[in-house]
Amino acid sequence: MQEAHAAYTHAYRVKQLGEQADTWYQARRLTEYVAAVGVHATSLPPGQERTEVDAWLAFADAHLQNLTESASAPKLPTPPKPSGDDLKPFLGHWSPYGPRSY
């Protein structure tokens, strides 16, 4: 069971690492896109379209700040307590519910 718990913890952390990397890439990609839209916005004349683009950019900047903060401060995640079903993939032919349970 100790080996199954260790394998479960490892798999959980690998999954979290992938999600953190995805968040980082998304933040980077969106930062480039928002910067390009910002450059385009400066070429717009004052008016409703410019006002709408500026409002959208304000929203996008706030969203990016949130993404950037979560991507820039990764921490080693602590997995939730696994259920028996969570441990099954790591136990081979053994049951997580005891030697006589299948």
Side-chain angles (χ1 to χ4, degrees), residues 44-55:
L44 295 173
Q48 183 176 354
E49 182 181 8
R50 173 75 181 259
T51 301
E52 290 174 1
V53 170
D54 287 342

Side-chain angles (χ1 to χ4, degrees), residues 1-14 86-87 89-91:
M1 287 299 281
Q2 279 183 320
E3 290 176 15
H5 277 271
Y8 168 79
T9 297
H10 179 78
Y12 178 84
R13 288 178 174 163
V14 166
D86 291 332
L87 293 176
F90 308 104
L91 287 170

Side-chain angles (χ1 to χ4, degrees), residues 37-70:
V37 172
V39 168
H40 170 69
T42 61
S43 69
L44 295 173
Q48 183 176 354
E49 182 181 8
R50 173 75 181 259
T51 301
E52 290 174 1
V53 170
D54 287 342
W56 184 88
L57 285 170
F59 164 79
D61 284 338
H63 178 67
L64 279 171
Q65 183 177 356
N66 188 21
L67 273 179
T68 303
E69 287 172 6
S70 67

